[in-house]
Structure formats: structure tokens, C-alpha cells
Amino acid sequence: MPTPLGVVTGASSGIGLELARQFAAHDIEVVLVAEDAAVHTAAEGLPRAHAVQLDLTRPEAVDELVRRVVEIGEPTALAINAGTAIGGAFVHDTSMADQLAGVDLNVRSAVQLAKALLPGMVDRGHGRVLFTSSVISVTPGPYQAVYNASKAFLKTFAGAIRTELKDTGVTVTTLMPGPTDTNFFAQADMLTTRLATSVPKDDPAKVAAQAFEAMMSGRARVIGGSPLNRLAYLSALLVPDRVMSGLHTWLSKPRPTA
Ligand SMILES: NC(=O)c1ccc[n+]([C@@H]2O[C@H](COP(=O)([O-])OP(=O)(O)OC[C@H]3O[C@@H](n4cnc5c(N)ncnc54)[C@H](OP(=O)(O)O)[C@@H]3O)[C@@H](O)[C@H]2O)c1
């Protein structure tokens, strides 16, 4: 069994920071990755933790991350968690640059990192991989259209690789959180939405603990947070898209500030 080493992207705050804390609490060396300098402070608070500050929207930064990880050791667990949303109407309220940066982070960097690090895990016959998708991965997402589409991508991508890697010793788990109390809504400029103001939020520490347990047990998926998230996810599978789109609009459409 290789020496345990975890890697968590989006580890400076929210679910990712709590995932990194899970690794540390289980005495596993961990690499924390995020864009801003706060990742250094986050890593300083944990034993045997390394901070890597990179903007993962850039392909060359993902290459650099892979180099830095391999210098530290052979990863046994990889949580591909960094993700952002861009709130607002696709045509009128958002820029091309912001939308494409969302695709670059949520989708392209996830594929690039998996493509670079999973072959080594397979060669070594051991690995635990987690992708952070969302309960909204099965719902069209008016006012965060690209975000929901990116989470749908991650859900099917993770499920596909999981099947391909059956019997290799490498497992792939999809994390589907519901609304969680993190920087997500502020970062997405969604603070005026009902989703931000009026929907109960889960504790990211609870979501991360559930995710860590599922990942290390090799489970296919985990719906994070409260049992209501499971209900919301299962309902979305049954309810027609036009109904879910209407509900999503009600929750996610920006509202005028007073
Ligand atoms: N909160 C929710 O309600 C919710 C629900 C379902 C799914 N999720 C998913 O959960 C994951 C974690 O989000 P969160 O809720 O924990 O939000 P968060 O607290 O805002 O965390 C996002 C993390 O991603 C990092 N990040 C953002 N842009 C980056 C970039 N260009 N390069 C590298 N790192 C970058 C951030 O670091 P910097 O601050 O340094 O940029 C931060 O560490 C995301 O994939 C999100 O889509 C969240």
C-alpha cells in the first residue's frame, strides 16, 4: 500500500477546506490547492499539509500542479472539488470571459487533472477519486446555466470513469451537495437570489465528512448534507424539466436590491 497522500482542489474555503481537514484528521498528508493566497493560511493550520496557489482555469497551471504533486509524492486520493458559478442571465448579465473561465475551471481542469493523475493510480493499483458535482446536476439551471451544465458534465464523467476503472483498485465517487454554507453564493454574485437568502444551508464540515467517508469507502456517489437534498435530487429525476426550470428560476433569478 503506497504512503497516503491526498490532493484537494478548491481547498482554501468551504467544502474543500473541510475535505482537507478530513485528510489531516485521518493522519493523511494533504496538498491544498486554490487560486488566492488564503490557501497558505489554510494549510498552515493543518499538520503535514502543503499549499499550492494556482489559477486552475489555466491549462499550464494544471500542468504545474501535477508537477508539484508528483514532487511531494504519489497521490492516493484526489478530490477534484474547485468550482465556481456565474450568477445571472446568460445572454444579458454575464461576460463571455467569465462564462468560459467557469468552463475552464469546472470542466476542463477536472478532465486535465484526472487525465494526468489517474494513470499513476491505476498503475499502482490503488486510488480514491472524488468529483464535486451537485444535486442540481440533473436540473436545467436558468440564471446559472453554464454552472448546472458543468455539474452535469462532472456527474456523467465521474460515473463513466468509475465504470471503466472497475477492478483496478481505483474508485471514483461523485459528491452531490445541496445548498451549503460557503463563499459560493457571494463569489457567484448570487446574494440577492432566494437560493442565497431563503434556503437553509448545510454545514460544509458535515458535507465534507460524508464525502470523505464515501470516497474512502469507494462508494459511487454521496448526496451531501441534509436528507432533504436526497429528496430534492430524486424529485428532479421525476419532475419534468420545464417544471424544474421554473423552480430554478424562482430560486436563482437575481432580485433588485432595496
Ligand atoms: N456551496 C454550495 O451550495 C454548493 C452546492 C453544490 C456544489 N458545490 C460545489 O462545491 C465545490 C466547492 O465550493 P464551495 O461551496 O466550498 O465554495 P467556496 O467556499 O467558494 O470554495 C471554492 C474553492 O474553489 C477555489 N477556486 C475558485 N476559483 C479557482 C481557480 N481559478 N483556481 C483554483 N481554485 C479556485 C476557491 O479558492 P480561491 O478563493 O482561492 O479562488 C475555493 O477554495 C464547488 O465545485 C461547488 O460547485 C457547492
Side-chain angles (χ1 to χ4, degrees), residues 138-142 235-249:
V138 291
T139 302
S235 307
L237 292 175
L238 299 173
V239 173
D241 274 359
R242 69 182 160 72
V243 177
M244 290 309 297
S245 291
L247 178 61
H248 201 285
T249 297

Side-chain angles (χ1 to χ4, degrees), residues 52-110:
V52 177
Q53 184 184 351
L54 288 167
D55 174 4
L56 297 179
T57 63
R58 297 167 46 245
E60 56 277 19
V62 181
D63 288 339
E64 171 66 17
L65 171 59
V66 171
R67 276 193 294 275
R68 301 271 287 276
V69 167
V70 170
E71 271 170 23
I72 294 166
E74 293 174 335
T76 55
L78 171 63
I80 298 182
N81 167 79
T84 54
I86 314 296
F90 178 72
V91 170
H92 294 298
D93 296 340
T94 63
S95 73
M96 175 80 88
D98 283 351
Q99 293 291 13
L100 292 181
V103 174
D104 283 339
L105 179 66
N106 297 8
V107 176
R108 194 199 43 70
S109 79

Side-chain angles (χ1 to χ4, degrees), residues 10-15 34-36 54-57 81-84 105 132-134 147 151 177-180 182-185:
S12 61
S13 63
I15 298 167
E35 181 183 10
D36 295 332
L54 288 167
D55 174 4
L56 297 179
T57 63
N81 167 79
T84 54
L105 179 66
T132 304
S133 174
S134 171
Y147 176 74
K151 294 295 162 178
T180 307
T182 70
N183 295 339
F184 176 85
F185 301 97

Side-chain angles (χ1 to χ4, degrees), residues 179-180 185 190-202 228 250-253 255:
T180 307
F185 301 97
M190 290 177 66
L191 289 179
T192 65
T193 65
R194 289 187 178 88
L195 190 58
T197 61
S198 310
V199 172
K201 308 287 184 304
D202 292 311
L228 284 177
W250 190 78
L251 286 170
S252 297
K253 189 172 181 176
R255 293 180 296 168

